[in-house]
Structure formats: C-alpha cells, structure tokens
Amino acid sequence: MKAILTLDNLASGLVTTIWTPVFVVIFLAIIAYAFWPRNKATFEEAARLPLREE
C-alpha cells in the first residue's frame, strides 16, 4: 500500500523530529540554570521569603 501524506502525518512527523528535541534542550537548560552554583544564594533567599517576618 502507498502511504498517504496527510496533515496529521506531517504534523506528527514535525513534532517528533523538531519540537521534541527543542523542548528537551529547553528543559535541560532550565535544570542547569537551577543547579548552577552561582544561583544557589538567590534560590536560598527565595526559599526563606515565606518565613520572613516583616
């Protein structure tokens, strides 16, 4: 049988070949930013915000 090129097949192929790796890279960049040693003090200060008495 001959494969029929439809919009659904094209969209599915586009998502799996382009957008999935792009989102994986974005996710890994966010994780790297969160665990970067330079940002530790900023995140620790933000974690103490609810406990602060004003």
Side-chain angles (χ1 to χ4, degrees):
M1 282 193 95
K2 191 174 175 183
I4 299 173
L5 183 62
T6 64
L7 186 59
D8 292 336
N9 290 343
L10 184 62
S12 175
L14 184 67
V15 166
T16 58
T17 59
I18 295 175
W19 290 111
T20 301
V22 168
F23 286 126
V24 167
V25 168
I26 291 171
F27 174 75
L28 292 175
I30 292 169
I31 296 299
Y33 174 78
F35 285 103
W36 204 258
R38 182 183 55 170
N39 299 326
K40 184 177 181 178
T42 305
F43 286 122
E44 285 179 354
E45 182 181 338
R48 287 190 297 268
L49 278 175
L51 304 175
R52 234 188 246 175
E53 292 183 20
E54 295 183 38

